Amino acid sequence: MNDQILSALCAIEVKDLSRADWIKVGMALKEEGYPVSVWDDWSQNDIRYKPGECERIWKSFHGSENPVKAGTIVQMAKDHGWTPFDGEDGCLAWNDTIEYDGSDGFTGFSQEPWNAAADLITYISTLFDKDDHVAYVTNDVWMNEDNKWVPSKGVYDRTAGELINSLKKYSDDVGATVGDWKPEAGAWIRFNPVDGNGVKNENVADFRYALVESDTLPIAEQDSLYRKLELPIACLVHSGGKSLHAIVHIDASDIDEYRKRVTFLYDYLEKNGVDIDKQNRNPSRLSRMPGVTRNGNRQYLVGTNIGRKSWAEWMDYVEGITDELPDMVSLSEFKDVPPTPPEELITGILRRGHKMLISGSSKAGKSFLLMELCIAIAEGLSWLGFPCKKGRVLYVNLEIDPASAINRFLKIYEALGIPIKHSDDIVIWNLRGYAVPLDKLAPKIIRRAMNQNFDAIIVDPIYKVITGDENNASEMGHFCNQFDKICTETGCSAIYCHHHSKGAQGAKRAMDRASGSGVFARDPDAQLDMIQLELSEDILNNVRDNKATAWRMESSLREFSNITPVNFWFEYPIHRVDTSGELGDMPAEGTPKAGQLKNSHHKTAKTAEEEFRTAFSILAFNGSVSVKEMTEYLGCSDKTVYSRISKMKDEFTLSKGRIYPCIAVN
């Protein structure tokens, strides 16, 4: 009856059936004891075919009181003009042998002559050098409690050269070379060379290959998938059963590398829909020997050197198709509708998803400035005069004690004089004592930040997580790439700060002041640099009591025009923009003008008073001098003149912009 059913199946055009009738065919085949591969192979003649669908539906067939049987297939065939046959109609018989010709995919059934010795010679010469010891098992087998034939140690002291010479000599009798095997068991061979002293993992002489085998996928699908994935197959062997044995290049230097590569290989195959036998991962594993028979079926060589030629070539291929890089695009796609740039998180400075670096000396209060930025984003306020889009921010604290960090935020809110409305949009991750290099920390940040709707991630400070030498451009390039990953994976802006290099900075460009490689300046989309200002005597007198320091912020921006430098005060715990303009003429530390101003601060009070008296005596006309005349002569500001008059109030007085000597009191 089997031949009749298969003949009937051949006569049915699957493309002409409804889905319901197609399922009935599958149910009938399962009820009659056929494997799913018969239904799957036949179904592939329809454009509606989907790989894996037959197997999935097949598993749902659990039988019923009124099962669909072979008669359904026979009747469908008759409806398509089929008549029963006597075995000579050319359709495939159930016991025909499936053959491969090495081409892409399943090629059907064949009864062509088979040169068994040639198969084994090709197999051995492909996998081994002539002096390699080859281990194999033919008659050294036993039957276990499950009535399955199990191989033992077998032979392991013969070389590949010896075996090939013998096979050529006795080309019509493989058993004369490797020994006779039990017809119901077949024979096995180890695909890695051994040392000639045993067959354990420690006896493996070279870790060249691994075995890939699937007992669940149809034979044709195994062959198709192995080729589609371009596995570096040295030899592909039909097991004589329900699987193909792919001997795959691993090319490992030792057993540790072998295990890592096999794990990667198996995981990759599993992710790509290949259900493989993971028990085959040891390097001394046995595989089916080509050139012998098993239960009347051939164990034969399907092909050699399939796919990529080595592990290295295959890894290049894998990385090429799994590199997760975006597709290349043509500019013409956007000429009519340009893409919309990301929204501005800090107006005129930083877009969402971009990177920003703040550089400055250790006295600048960079951590306070970053906390102020967190608050500005969370509350939708301005930061140093630049409006911020309201959003949600993650502050990664790597340096400050957790309690101190939280209290700083509260003090900043208080000093700014604003209500705490959206503190839930500031998330603090305290990692002091848990810092790891950024290439290890970045994946953790990404995982924690995913689906949290953050707009910015601030990492403070980066010296805690720098990987490599900060003066090495290559290593710093790798370091900065981690911020790219954070931005790309989360869609957030990445903001971080870095310190100045040693020495005077005033004569340098803002983008050249950060310590280490120039990568720090070139990499971010926005760099803001803070440099301290040298103050005049009169300004110092005004701020000496509250210990405020004065700063200027300059920029190097990729997306926007550089900002007009911003002058501001750092008055613990916040920074205040200079709205009076008094800092506008103050030079940055390290400039020649700053040096002159600094030297003037070292004059003694007595020297300064003497200079003032001398200037008054020279300039006095009708007993008085204007403030303007005095400032021009002394080369100072009017505030300095006022300060001098205040300190010398016993000698001079000021009235309507003119300086007069005090009248001596006898």
Side-chain angles (χ1 to χ4, degrees), residues 31 41 78 80 97 149 151 193 245 247 249-250 253 277 315 377 418 444 472 478 518 523 530 546 548:
E31 181 67 23
D41 292 341
K78 288 181 178 179
H80 282 75
T97 302
W149 291 103
H245 286 200
I247 312 303
H249 283 280
I250 291 294
S253 58
D277 184 353
M315 284 302 297
I377 293 173
I418 60 174
K444 303 177 191 296
N472 184 297
H478 173 72
D523 181 74
M530 304 161 59
N546 59 24

Side-chain angles (χ1 to χ4, degrees), residues 128-141:
F128 302 98
D129 296 330
K130 65 177 182 179
D131 295 327
D132 288 337
H133 286 92
V134 181
Y136 58 90
V137 181
T138 50
N139 50 28
D140 186 11
V141 298

Side-chain angles (χ1 to χ4, degrees), residues 78 97 124 148 180 251 278 280 288 294 310 350 359 368 447 453 455 457 483 619 659:
K78 288 181 178 179
T97 302
I124 293 174
K148 292 183 178 180
D180 293 330
D251 308 331
K278 292 187 176 181
N280 294 327
R288 285 291 172 175
R294 172 189 178 194
S310 66
L350 182 69
S359 55
F368 289 95
R447 186 173 65 253
N453 299 316
D455 295 278
I457 297 175
F483 288 110
L619 299 174
I659 305 167

Side-chain angles (χ1 to χ4, degrees), residues 32 71 87 133 176 200 225 329 369 382 427 461 481 499 582 588 604 635:
E32 297 299 332
H133 286 92
K200 295 181 178 180
L225 284 172
V329 296
L369 193 66
S382 290
V427 178
N481 284 343
H499 57 84
E582 63 181 347
T604 65

